[in-house]
Amino acid sequence: MARYTGPRAKISRRFGVDLFGNSKSFNRRPFPPGQHGVRAGRRKKSEYGVMLAEKQKLRFQYGILEKQFRKYYAEASRRRGVTGEILLQLLELRLDNVVYRLGYANTRAAARQMVSHGHVHVNGHKVDIPSYACKPGDTVAIASKSGSQSLARHFAELVQGAVVPDWLEGNADTLSGKVSRIPTKEEIAPIVNEQLIVEFYSR
């Protein structure tokens, strides 16, 4: 299972936004890492640098390596509609992200691990592929095993108060949820300008 395993706080500080839910260390030093980090933010980025930064932010946010991210972009560009918005929807409908949005994990990385360790079922069947593409009508539930249930409830307590988006239907009592429809761009509320990502790959 390919994933980013390097330092996370440094990445968040580099882009100036908390990408991994590691807000404590990010808030402590909210400037780029390195000897000249405090002054680094004053340098003007090139047009290419701005587009690259947007792409990297979205890639790190969803925990995807470059090769897989390119595949998502290729799929989005093949579909009819606005490529940038479709790209966001494809990423948002990943199973690990759906588990995270339902509140059964406090970070996407934790949700990814829950899926890969077999703690999540889709439509009654165990699915251990974090990139599994959920569709409207799919039911996502935590496995009935006591270990799976206690792990999900522990995470649910950590994110208590988090709002489940309107495109999902969550049931905190049964630790299950349903994908009711494809999310809109406004519901996803991206931290990037997705059009710059499209321009980056269209060069």
Side-chain angles (χ1 to χ4, degrees):
M1 181 179 66
R3 59 190 177 90
Y4 174 74
T5 58
R8 297 182 177 181
K10 281 187 176 181
I11 296 296
S12 293
R13 288 172 58 200
R14 180 196 303 172
F15 296 112
V17 61
D18 183 16
L19 297 171
F20 303 99
N22 197 13
S23 57
K24 185 179 292 184
S25 61
F26 173 72
N27 291 335
R28 190 165 63 243
R29 293 181 292 181
F31 51 83
Q35 182 179 359
H36 305 291
V38 178
R39 291 181 291 176
R42 302 173 189 169
R43 291 198 299 264
K44 185 177 180 180
K45 287 184 178 179
S46 65
E47 185 178 335
Y48 172 82
V50 173
M51 292 188 293
L52 176 63
E54 293 297 279
K55 187 263 293 185
Q56 295 291 72
K57 279 195 291 186
L58 191 62
R59 189 170 69 77
F60 280 118
Q61 181 186 14
Y62 286 93
I64 301 171
L65 297 184
E66 179 62 29
K67 185 176 181 180
Q68 189 177 20
F69 193 84
R70 281 180 175 271
K71 289 181 179 179
Y72 276 115
Y73 175 77
E75 175 62 26
S77 62
R78 279 195 295 268
R79 297 191 182 188
R80 183 176 296 177
V82 182
T83 300
E85 186 170 345
I86 294 172
L87 174 63
L88 293 173
Q89 291 169 341
L90 290 174
L91 294 172
E92 196 71 5
L93 286 168
R94 284 171 54 97
L95 178 57
D96 55 357
N97 184 74
V98 170
V99 171
Y100 167 70
R101 292 294 194 188
L102 285 169
Y104 304 144
N106 62 334
T107 64
R108 288 184 177 87
R112 182 188 183 109
Q113 192 171 44
M114 286 188 68
V115 174
S116 63
H117 287 186
H119 296 301
V120 179
H121 287 189
V122 178
N123 298 327
H125 302 283
K126 183 177 78 173
V127 177
D128 57 5
I129 303 172
S131 61
Y132 176 86
C134 295
K135 303 177 293 295
D138 282 352
T139 298
V140 178
I142 302 300
S144 58
K145 295 182 295 184
S146 60
S148 302
Q149 292 278 312
S150 61
L151 181 63
R153 293 193 186 281
H154 168 70
F155 282 133
E157 289 179 5
L158 293 179
V159 297
Q160 199 169 20
V163 179
V164 176
D166 290 341
W167 56 277
L168 292 172
E169 299 173 12
N171 188 324
D173 295 328
T174 60
L175 293 179
S176 63
K178 182 179 179 181
V179 180
S180 56
R181 55 182 171 80
I182 295 175
T184 63
K185 176 185 172 181
E186 289 71 25
E187 290 171 323
I188 297 173
I191 63 171
V192 301
N193 182 343
E194 72 282 355
Q195 185 55 39
L196 291 180
I197 300 174
V198 174
E199 293 175 12
F200 176 85
Y201 284 117
S202 301
R203 289 177 301 114

